[in-house]
Each structure stands twice: as structure tokens, then as C-alpha cells.
Amino acid sequence: QTLSSVDLNLDRTFFTCTSSQFPGAVSSAAAAFRTTSLSPAGCALILARIRRRIEAVGLPFGEMLMLFNAPGESELTAEQWLDVASAIPLGVSRAEMQQVFSKIDEEGAGKVTIAMMEAALARSSGVDCAAVPPWISHSVKLGLCGRIQEELQRRGAVPGRAGLARESDFRRVVMQTERYLTSEQLNSLVLLADKSSDGHVDVVEFAERFGGGAPGRPLR
């Protein structure tokens, strides 16, 4: 049986099954999303990360988006929305931006208004991604973030990208370190982590945000 855009357990899962695909693969990370879709909970975490970054610099979201559409236009195409992730350090990958766009563009029109994007961001809260999840807080107090960073450093950084790690390596290290985590808890940690536009996890930022100011040593 083929699942087509069917959301499952929206209140508890971060990803859902779907057979739909976003027009054009934008990266290897985007390819991983081709058979899954963000649930509202997953989308909310990504929007929370965007809002946290924007509020930190006092950047008006709507005005920022207008830099990427045609003069006088009030809408953004899918590709223009992805260009935002490439041009502005929002800590969100193009693959994640792709998923957010698909969730907001409920009719599949291939474009959304800037007002719709602003409303979606306004419903999120940067606080949602600023606190350590309670189910892993004890491990964090015992130095989990530092251990993750050290292990990823041992494995080696993405060539030419100090401080970044492959998402697959991040997942593997967390799974090996915290074997009790469920798949949903692991997914939530991945969604909480800031990323480069091409999908690499910002390990230093993750350790500083959730490790109580733990020193972030660049990955060499």
C-alpha cells in the first residue's frame, strides 16, 4: 500500500509518511526527505529555530523575505524560499526549508504569500528550541554535549567546514552515547540542532546552546 500525504500521530511524531516530492532535489539531505514529511510538531521546531535567530539580531522577517521576491510582489516561490536559507544564516538547511514550505503551501500552488510565512513564524516561539528537553536533561548535566562534540571531533569535520558535522555522524554518535532514546527523541534532537544550508549540523552551536556554555572547540 502506498501512503500519500497521510499524517500519522501528529501530536507525537515529527515526521509523517508521504509519496509526494518537492520539485527538484536540492541536496543529498533533501533526498532523505522524499518519502517523509514534517508533522506540525516538526515544522514548529524548525520555525522556532528560525525565530530564535531572527530575534537575536532584530531582523524583521517580512522585510528579509522581500529581498528575495520580485519588486512589488507579495508572494514567494518555492525556489525563492530556498534561496533564503542559502543566503542568510538562519541555522536551517535547504531540506528543512523545503519541508516548511510544503507544510505552509497546503494547496500545492508552488508559492505562498509573505503574510502566510509571517503568520507561521508568529505562531512559533524561540523558547521551544532554547531549553534542554526534559528526557535528556540529566545526561546534558553530566556533559553529554561535550562528549558528542569530542566524538565528532575524533571522527573528523566536514572538509573545509570547521565546527560542522554530517547529520548521519551526529545521529550515530547520539545513538551510541544515549542508547535509551526513542527514534522520536532522536529526531527531535536533530530538529533542534542548527544546520548549514546544505544540512550539516552546527556542533559547536549545539554544545553552547544546550551544554550550559560548554566551550566549543572547532572540529578540525
Side-chain angles (χ1 to χ4, degrees):
Q1 181 179 5
T2 300
L3 293 174
S4 178
S5 299
V6 179
D7 287 356
L8 307 173
N9 297 325
L10 296 187
D11 58 332
R12 290 181 292 181
T13 188
F14 293 100
F15 293 98
T16 60
C17 298
T18 178
S19 63
S20 62
Q21 292 187 14
F22 200 83
V26 294
S27 69
S28 58
F33 281 113
R34 289 178 181 173
T35 58
T36 59
S37 174
L38 277 177
S39 72
C43 186
L45 279 182
I46 293 177
L47 287 170
R49 282 165 39 211
I50 294 175
R51 182 162 183 170
R52 182 177 61 87
R53 286 267 183 137
I54 289 175
E55 289 180 344
V57 296
L59 184 65
F61 189 52
E63 292 182 18
M64 179 195 76
L65 295 181
M66 284 191 286
L67 297 174
F68 295 86
N69 66 350
E73 292 288 332
S74 61
E75 297 177 321
L76 282 177
T77 65
E79 197 57 41
Q80 288 169 334
W81 173 246
L82 294 180
D83 287 343
V84 176
S86 298
I88 299 179
L90 295 176
V92 180
S93 70
R94 284 172 64 90
E96 290 175 324
M97 292 285 273
Q98 163 186 323
Q99 288 286 309
V100 169
F101 186 94
S102 296
K103 211 66 184 175
I104 296 175
D105 181 23
E106 295 179 347
E107 298 181 358
K111 59 175 62 177
V112 297
T113 66
I114 290 178
M116 290 170 65
M117 289 295 187
E118 288 180 308
L121 191 74
R123 290 193 295 270
S124 69
S125 172
V127 175
D128 293 341
C129 64
V132 177
W135 37 263
I136 203 171
S137 59
H138 181 67
S139 293
V140 168
K141 290 178 181 178
L142 296 178
L144 172 64
C145 293
R147 293 195 300 274
I148 292 174
Q149 190 172 359
E150 288 176 3
E151 178 58 24
L152 287 170
Q153 182 177 19
R154 187 185 66 78
R155 291 170 181 254
V158 177
R161 308 290 296 277
L164 299 179
R166 300 172 186 83
E167 183 181 313
S168 58
D169 287 341
F170 181 82
R171 282 181 175 272
R172 191 171 296 112
V173 168
V174 174
M175 288 174 63
Q176 292 172 349
T177 305
E178 303 298 307
R179 298 180 183 274
Y180 64 88
L181 294 183
T182 67
S183 60
E184 283 305 309
Q185 289 171 336
L186 178 59
N187 281 338
S188 73
L189 282 183
V190 174
L191 287 173
L192 282 169
D194 277 8
K195 301 173 186 69
S196 62
S197 62
D198 52 4
H200 294 117
V201 175
D202 189 336
V203 181
V204 172
E205 192 281 335
F206 184 85
E208 291 176 345
R209 180 164 29 126
F210 295 117
R217 293 179 294 173
L219 304 182
R220 301 295 182 184

